[in-house]
Amino acid sequence: MDNVTGTRSPAPEVDEHWMVNRRRALKWLIRAGYGAFALAFALPALALRALSQQQSEVASGDPLVYASNAGGGTAGQPVMASDLAVGDGIQAFPQGKDDNQTNLIQIVRLGDGEGAEGLVAYSAICTHLGCVVYADLNQDGNIACPCHNSQFDPTAEAEVTGGPADRALPSIELSVTPEGIISVAGRFSGPIGPS
Amino acid sequence: MTDQRGPAVPPVTIMPASEVRPGGRAAPRTAPRQVPRTGEGRRVAAPRAAKRDASRAGWVEERLDVTGLNAKYGRKAFPVHTTFFLGEMAAFAFIILIVTGIYLGLIYIPSSAPVEVDGQELPEAYASVRLIESIPVANLFRNVHHWAAHVMVLATLLHLIRIFFFGTYRRPRELNWIIGVVMLILTLVAGFLGYALPFDSYAVTATGIGYSIARSIPWVGNVAAELFFGGAFPTLGSLPRLYTLHIFVVPALIALTTAAHILLIVKNKHSQPGYARKLAEPGRVLGVPAWPYQALLAGQLFLLMFGALFILSALFEIHPLAAYGPPGPGTPAVKPDWYLLWVYGFLDIVPASLTLTTPIGTIGPQFIGGIVFPGIIFTLIFLAPWLDRTNRGRDVPRFEYLQPPAQAPVRLTIGVGFLTYIGMLFVAGYHVELGLSIAQTWYLSLIVPAVVMAATYGIARQRDPAWSRRFDPSAEEEDEEVLYVEAPRGDQ
Ligand code: FES
């Protein structure tokens, strides 16, 4: 550059005001450019959230099968009404729908009876933070959660009797087929798990 | 004190502390032997072999200006004190995590899709971790990775506690305090994200709880949870997302904040133990130069940690897959690792009745226990520099020296009370096992810290000199041989 010595070639006449405004406008344009750049990266993330796969849901009439080998059953085998003695609790999936953990159903026998009489069923997903409750009732006869020790009373619509959960487990109607297999007869009484 | 340093090291003025006039400028005992600087002058007189060396050094010098670089940064003084290594330990643990993580990432498959292994249907991720476990060296690295994660959290935490109790978060280092707390949070997040990867029963449970907590945030919860967990956890979208966050996004943020943290240390200069006040004038840092002494010490520390972690991992297997097995329909009784146990403890005892229905949604105990409460804790930590009364007022322009805890009884009391409360939340996490009711746990978690605080304050107010000196770094290391006073900027 030849104006290192400090001498400047005389600047052409310009409208100072216009220069300042133009510079400010350009600054804003650059800022807007950065903003658009950031948005262009941030917004697609919203589209990414919907990658959940389609999951099955409980439907009325689904026969129930043992969820695991615990409690005297065999995973995948149908649950018979006669399998449960009074005070027993077991966990079951609607047949063929064990891909979705929230379909897990907790069955408890409260008393003897024909068919579905004496049986109650609730969602096995704790309403606190979504853990699966223990299949076996605890010594107070409550359904208990292993995670933060929430407790639900199976004799009273699974109302909360202890711990941090703030909502009862949703219940679901049962029926028993002529062969004695327990099946679902309705829908959950409320949203499953924490919500 | 002979000069045994190699010719590549520029002259470092080293003097025993006895030579340093109290409160005055450092004066060299005798003129230390001037090692010729690499560069023009030296090349002329050097014999043949040295000449070759010099020309090689000259080649590098010409391109990288090592001498200039060394003069600018290699002479940065590092105060010497045992507790000044905690931050370095965290950084080294991070490096070890990256190195071992690379090996694990070469084998691990972030997919929860079922695959058949030995006639058993397993999530692919679980199967790949089983493969890792079956390769001895990979298994060793997996254990080192897990142990190093604990060390990183612990070192970060101890570093923060040290900074707090000595009051060095005060002016002008508030920003670095904030960056440091952000780094702690990032470290916890990285640890939590790592929980999910083995995809065993424990992983699915712990991550599922995290997912439910995220979802409990009013209004934005669903979007945020689905964004970070790739849909309703556990779903096929979950592992790729958590994996990317665990191995790239969060470590990149940790690296960035580490760089900012170090930059600010250089900018603000080290805070230093009080003894420096007697040996160097204000504004100067007394310590060992970054190169070679601090580098040597840090290098030794790194190798020591590296060795210790491998020994630890070889002797104590941590979280083997078989401990919990593949995810099944049930939930094992799990508790998070110690560094998240306090949140777990609070979640355990937050009363269910704490539910508010607001126009934008319900605020349940999950949100209060899992988000609001840790949020309050971290906000308090963030605000420490502004809550500290001694940081107000302008009578001290900059706090350059560590303030021994005994000289700041209020800070000591609050800090100890805070830590005790967090400790009581660990107890809350085990209240069922300990046979405590929720009400009893609440009383305990409030009364014990109160008692401890009262006792601490009482003791600290006595200002028993013998007791207070134990925690006063100004009482130590006065005859340290290698200490030198950093030259002020622009002197070189
Ligand atoms: S998830 Fe059941 S008590 Fe927390």
Side-chain angles (χ1 to χ4, degrees):
Chain A
M1 291 292 150
D2 40 7
N3 41 6
V4 269
T5 53
T7 56
R8 279 170 177 248
S9 44
E13 279 296 310
V14 285
D15 180 351
E16 287 280 331
H17 193 66
W18 184 82
M19 282 289 278
V20 171
N21 273 339
R22 189 179 64 163
R23 180 165 299 179
R24 195 182 298 153
L26 279 174
K27 269 188 191 160
W28 276 110
L29 243 150
I30 290 171
R31 280 179 205 150
Y34 278 121
F37 182 77
L39 268 186
F41 269 90
L43 281 183
L46 289 180
L48 287 181
R49 76 192 171 93
L51 285 182
S52 295
Q53 70 238 87
Q54 200 62 37
Q55 288 187 317
S56 58
E57 275 180 34
V58 183
S60 190
D62 285 343
L64 292 176
V65 297
Y66 279 97
S68 68
N69 295 341
T74 312
Q77 288 305 304
V79 183
M80 316 294 286
S82 54
D83 289 355
L84 288 104
V86 175
D88 274 359
I90 62 113
Q91 286 175 356
F93 276 119
Q95 193 164 33
K97 295 184 176 173
D98 61 352
D99 59 322
N100 186 354
Q101 177 95 5
T102 62
N103 286 340
L104 196 61
I105 293 173
Q106 167 80 28
I107 309 172
V108 178
R109 185 178 276 290
L110 297 175
D112 288 317
E114 280 296 302
E117 208 182 308
L119 291 172
V120 287
Y122 304 101
S123 161
I125 309 300
C126 179
T127 54
H128 180 228
L129 286 169
C131 290
V132 174
V133 297
Y134 285 123
D136 292 328
L137 304 184
N138 69 5
Q139 74 254 42
D140 305 326
N142 281 329
I143 300 172
C145 177
C147 286
H148 312 95
N149 203 35
S150 283
Q151 289 168 47
F152 308 90
D153 183 357
T155 63
E157 287 295 308
E159 252 176 55
V160 181
T161 54
D166 62 341
R167 208 159 48 77
L169 299 172
S171 62
I172 193 162
E173 293 288 316
L174 296 179
S175 67
V176 173
T177 62
E179 302 85 57
I181 300 171
I182 303 179
S183 61
V184 174
R187 321 191 51 176
F188 281 115
S189 62
I192 300 165
S195 41
Chain B
M1 193 179 58
T2 52
D3 201 331
Q4 290 163 333
R5 277 160 286 118
V9 182
V12 178
T13 321
I14 297 173
M15 70 213 67
S18 56
E19 299 281 337
V20 183
R21 280 180 241 118
R25 237 169 198 277
R29 178 171 45 180
T30 48
R33 188 166 68 88
Q34 288 290 319
V35 180
R37 293 198 176 209
T38 45
E40 285 313 313
R42 189 178 161 214
R43 208 176 294 165
V44 180
R48 219 184 207 172
K51 201 170 172 181
R52 203 168 47 238
D53 277 358
S55 78
R56 207 174 287 147
W59 191 92
V60 177
E61 183 68 31
E62 220 169 72
R63 280 147 190 86
L64 297 178
D65 185 21
V66 179
T67 316
L69 214 66
N70 193 28
K72 198 162 180 196
Y73 299 108
R75 305 293 308 280
K76 179 177 162 38
F78 280 77
V80 182
H81 192 261
T82 357
T83 62
F84 276 49
F85 284 103
L86 293 167
E88 264 139 333
M89 284 180 71
F92 293 156
F94 182 53
I95 292 172
I96 293 170
L97 280 164
I98 290 176
V99 174
T100 51
I102 288 173
Y103 275 95
L104 297 176
L106 295 177
I107 308 177
Y108 176 75
I109 303 170
S111 156
S112 57
V115 290
E116 183 129 342
V117 183
D118 307 333
Q120 202 185 353
E121 204 164 77
L122 297 173
E124 209 167 0
Y126 185 92
S128 72
V129 175
R130 212 157 79 160
L131 179 63
I132 289 176
E133 282 195 340
S134 71
I135 307 169
V137 69
N139 191 31
L140 182 64
F141 277 24
R142 172 167 184 247
N143 277 281
V144 172
H145 196 76
H146 207 138
W147 277 115
H150 284 284
V151 170
M152 182 171 171
V153 180
L154 186 67
T156 310
L157 212 58
L158 291 176
H159 179 60
L160 178 119
I161 290 173
R162 199 273 288 170
I163 299 287
F164 178 83
F165 279 119
F166 288 97
T168 45
Y169 50 81
R170 294 179 295 171
R171 190 182 328 126
R173 300 187 178 80
E174 295 100 328
L175 284 179
N176 227 10
W177 170 261
I178 298 225
I179 293 175
V181 182
V182 169
M183 288 166 78
L184 174 63
I185 295 175
L186 287 172
T187 309
L188 296 178
V189 169
F192 174 76
L193 289 167
Y195 278 20
L197 302 188
F199 219 73
D200 60 352
S201 175
Y202 179 95
V204 174
T205 305
T207 314
I209 291 179
Y211 168 74
S212 299
I213 290 176
R215 248 178 43 134
S216 71
I217 306 171
W219 197 50
V220 292
N222 269 327
V223 177
E226 294 201 353
L227 199 56
F228 287 109
F229 294 83
F233 184 85
T235 158
L236 280 181
S238 301
L239 272 182
R241 196 121 346 150
L242 296 168
Y243 183 59
T244 309
L245 291 171
H246 179 77
I247 67 158
F248 182 72
V249 179
V250 176
L253 290 175
I254 293 178
L256 277 177
T257 43
T258 306
H261 205 64
I262 294 172
L263 213 67
L264 276 188
I265 294 175
V266 175
K267 192 96 194 148
N268 292 334
K269 298 204 168 181
H270 260 97
S271 57
Q272 31 182 354
Y275 63 80
R277 204 188 325 239
K278 300 177 205 152
L279 303 176
E281 42 182 65
R284 302 281 193 94
V285 179
L286 183 79
V288 298
W291 184 264
Y293 293 102
Q294 179 69 14
L296 194 68
L297 288 171
Q300 281 174 330
L301 178 69
F302 178 73
L303 292 179
L304 240 147
M305 276 183 64
F306 201 71
L309 278 170
F310 270 83
I311 292 174
L312 201 64
S313 307
L315 295 181
F316 304 100
E317 183 155 57
I318 186 167
H319 198 129
L321 275 187
Y324 289 96
T331 293
V334 300
K335 293 190 198 301
D337 283 321
W338 60 274
Y339 52 82
L340 292 174
L341 192 62
W342 55 284
V343 182
Y344 173 89
F346 192 80
L347 270 172
D348 247 20
I349 60 169
V350 60
S353 49
L354 261 183
T355 307
L356 310 168
T357 315
T358 66
I360 53 165
T362 349
I363 295 177
Q366 303 92 337
F367 179 59
I368 293 169
I371 306 275
V372 175
F373 171 71
I376 292 174
I377 295 284
F378 276 109
T379 309
L380 286 176
I381 300 176
F382 272 125
L383 289 179
W386 291 273
L387 296 175
D388 188 335
R389 285 225 318 276
T390 65
N391 197 23
R392 298 183 194 146
R394 286 271 143 195
D395 41 326
V396 185
R398 295 159 68 93
F399 294 95
E400 298 293 9
Y401 302 101
L402 273 60
Q403 187 177 33
Q407 286 172 23
V410 177
R411 183 188 304 135
L412 179 67
T413 307
I414 292 176
V416 169
F418 198 81
L419 290 177
T420 315
Y421 179 62
I422 298 293
M424 288 316 292
L425 290 178
F426 284 37
V427 174
Y430 284 91
H431 79 271
V432 178
E433 288 82 346
L434 293 171
L436 295 167
S437 75
I438 290 187
Q440 286 168 330
T441 315
W442 267 103
Y443 288 134
L444 266 184
S445 72
L446 296 176
I447 290 169
V448 172
V451 171
V452 171
M453 281 172 85
T456 311
Y457 193 70
I459 296 171
R461 284 308 286 225
Q462 285 178 353
R463 290 173 189 275
D464 169 17
W467 177 85
S468 65
R469 203 171 306 134
R470 198 170 309 154
F471 296 100
D472 181 0
S474 58
E476 300 167 27
E477 324 223 28
E478 292 198 11
D479 50 8
E480 183 58 68
E481 273 260 310
V482 289
L483 295 181
Y484 90 118
V485 182
E486 186 180 66
R489 286 273 161 76
D491 258 22
Q492 280 142 358

